[in-house]
Amino acid sequence: MELNYALEQLSLLQKKMYAYNSASSALYLDSVTVAPKDTAEGRGVALGILAGESQKLMTSPEVGELLSFLSEHKSELSHVEQRQVEELQRSYERMSRIPADEYMEYAILTNEASDVWHKAKETSDFALFAPVLEKLVNFNIKFAGYYDSTKAPYDALLDEYERGADMAFLDEFFGTVRERLVPLIKAIGEKPQIDDSFLHRHYPVEAQRKFSDYLMEILQLDRGHCGIGETEHPFTLEFNNKDVRITTNYKEDSLADSMYSVIHEGGHAKYELGIRDDLQYTCLTGGVSMGVHESQSRFYENIIGRSRPFIEAIFPKMQEFFPEQLKDVTAEQMYRAVNKVEPSLIRTEADEMTYSLHVMIRYEIEKQLIDKTLAVKDIPQVWNRLYKEYLGVDVPDDRRGCLQDSHWSGGSFGYFPSYALGSAYGAQMLQNMEKEMDVWTAVGKGDLTGVSAWLGDKVHQYGSLMTPAEIVKNACGQFDPTVYTDYLTKKYTELYHL
Ligand code: ZN
């Protein structure tokens, strides 16, 4: 094989994968936005074929030969090409180790599990979901061995979402979180509560849509390259660095819900839009990991979006969009209201302070499930005990308890910790950013140019060219969870006069 020919084939292979992914994403986007409700069947057929074809392509002997040829000529490749070969080789080996029949069986199971979970959640019936969940757990334990048989199964699964993160690292991280934040949350609970009732006045959807447009402008999201839609659960979907879509969900009795969804998803979008052009249509585009992605969305949502300077900057505009609702409210009251801490049952509605504890509970349960020290049937009991212990709340039913998240029904075990890691990475990015520039004067004027440029330079541009650990090192330096807990302690000590 000629090297030039091999490189052409490498590029073609990645473009084909991009095409399959784009087609699947477009079908998915259609299904959750504009598709009529009884149209899932035909899309299912198409999605099944697309998944099968891309699996076939990525595990074909020709691709195996191509990648091993290029690995042998590694020294003649550019750095970007070397990284492409490494990443593709990794997924080639990983996918080739999963027997095709097991892969199919698992795909069918997750499809079925999603239905069962929806029904179980609706009726708050964990016993209905338990048998399917047990199968999913067993599949994941088996797959963990295919991913990396040298690791403990849960470590191998964690590595899928945040390469390099393992139980030793996370035990230490969550240990710090537990030790510092649990007492802080208790102390906050003993203080007079912040009044956020004005956030729940009537906010018509039409006015909220205009407010979203304004927020996207503040975030400097180019509407020619970033669309906004409406779905039940907000998300970000990227095709390439010139085409990213975010969604939000409007609730007329809540101003903050959609506001922070737009800022959060906007943070994800900024990451995807900021990736270098030369990484497009290759396996190196796309945010590097779930944890780093969440670090960006949470940076915009919490560190910037829930800061006093940012609220002061946008508050006059908020009053223009909602003159009646906010006429008797000050910027300071708004700042305090969007930072109200209230231990609650639902992770996705949790405040900045208690959020990581929701994640920690899921981490502790997953860890025991995958190493088989916890039986599936005992999940509700452990879940409810941990919610009482860490957050002081009583779980009234499984719908608002262990059945609330869709992750397990989709076969995702090891995904949750990324949410908490992202918050911690973000706090450390802020610390470094503050050393290099005056962050808050500009933010106080509603100007996020400097913040975006810093994150673009340290994180966004690289896509997946570096590993998650390298990106974190580049933007945060040595990872230290106390920077995160100190950030929260300082902010909430002032807010709640602790
Ligand atoms: Zn997110």
Side-chain angles (χ1 to χ4, degrees), residues 42-260:
R43 261 191 317 279
V45 174
L47 283 167
I49 297 285
L50 286 168
E53 286 301 307
S54 72
Q55 148 97 351
K56 220 172 7 184
L57 177 66
M58 262 318 291
T59 52
S60 73
E62 294 78 30
V63 165
E65 276 164 38
L66 175 70
L67 293 173
S68 59
F69 173 85
L70 287 165
S71 298
E72 282 159 26
H73 292 78
K74 209 173 161 184
S75 61
E76 296 156 62
L77 305 180
S78 71
H79 176 58
V80 171
E81 289 160 351
Q82 285 181 14
R83 286 284 301 132
Q84 289 172 8
V85 172
E86 272 170 33
E87 286 306 306
L88 289 168
Q89 187 90 40
R90 185 184 143 95
S91 39
Y92 175 79
E93 284 169 9
R94 207 176 134 272
M95 285 185 97
S96 306
R97 280 195 295 263
I98 302 178
D101 55 336
E102 284 182 29
Y103 186 80
M104 280 299 288
E105 204 185 323
Y106 185 64
I108 294 165
L109 177 67
T110 46
N111 198 27
E112 176 198 325
S114 162
D115 261 6
V116 177
W117 168 73
H118 272 289
K119 281 188 195 113
K121 186 180 171 184
E122 240 165 61
T123 50
S124 198
D125 183 1
F126 183 76
L128 181 68
F129 184 48
V132 188
L133 181 56
E134 193 156 355
K135 282 188 203 160
L136 287 165
V137 168
N138 290 333
F139 255 112
N140 271 276
I141 294 171
K142 200 171 358 162
F143 282 6
Y146 297 143
Y147 298 154
D148 191 341
S149 59
T150 64
K151 287 189 172 123
Y154 193 49
D155 279 345
L157 295 175
L158 287 166
D159 207 58
E160 290 296 300
Y161 299 102
E162 193 67 16
R163 201 177 304 169
D166 56 16
M167 289 183 275
F169 169 73
L170 288 169
D171 283 345
E172 201 186 321
F173 169 63
F174 282 118
T176 305
V177 166
R178 181 168 46 231
E179 193 183 301
R180 311 261 174 135
L181 299 190
V182 172
L184 206 58
I185 291 166
K186 287 213 171 94
I188 290 172
E190 284 154 19
K191 291 285 177 176
Q193 188 51 287
I194 290 170
D195 175 20
D196 70 342
S197 56
F198 57 83
L199 291 177
H200 300 284
R201 289 171 180 166
H202 184 71
Y203 292 92
V205 169
E206 209 31 64
Q208 290 201 53
R209 286 198 185 110
K210 292 197 181 102
F211 182 43
S212 297
D213 291 339
Y214 166 71
L215 290 171
M216 287 179 80
E217 207 179 289
I218 285 277
L219 289 167
Q220 300 172 338
L221 286 166
D222 178 347
R223 297 295 287 271
H225 295 292
C226 182
I228 180 166
E230 291 167 34
T231 51
E232 191 187 340
H233 303 286
F235 63 85
T236 300
L237 190 146
E238 68 283 356
F239 289 95
N240 53 66
N241 71 348
K242 308 271 189 296
D243 185 358
V244 177
R245 319 295 174 90
I246 65 170
T247 69
T248 188
N249 180 275
Y250 297 110
K251 294 195 182 89
E252 296 212 311
D253 62 351
S254 169
L255 174 62
D257 262 62
S258 169
M259 171 179 172
Y260 285 103

Side-chain angles (χ1 to χ4, degrees), residues 236 264-265 268 290 293-294 297-298 419:
T236 300
H264 178 98
E265 303 307 333
H268 283 306
M290 282 310 308
H293 237 303
E294 283 300 310
S297 54
R298 286 178 188 280
Y419 290 124

Side-chain angles (χ1 to χ4, degrees), residues 293-309:
H293 237 303
E294 283 300 310
S295 78
Q296 300 309 289
S297 54
R298 286 178 188 280
F299 194 93
Y300 282 99
E301 177 193 349
N302 293 324
I303 293 179
I304 299 297
R306 287 191 164 87
S307 70
R308 189 179 269 124

Side-chain angles (χ1 to χ4, degrees), residues 1 329 335:
M1 208 183 304
V329 178
Y335 168 66

Side-chain angles (χ1 to χ4, degrees), residues 306-308 311 331-339 495:
R306 287 191 164 87
S307 70
R308 189 179 269 124
I311 295 295
E332 180 63 18
Q333 283 173 313
M334 180 60 75
Y335 168 66
R336 295 172 60 77
V338 298
N339 284 297
L495 262 159

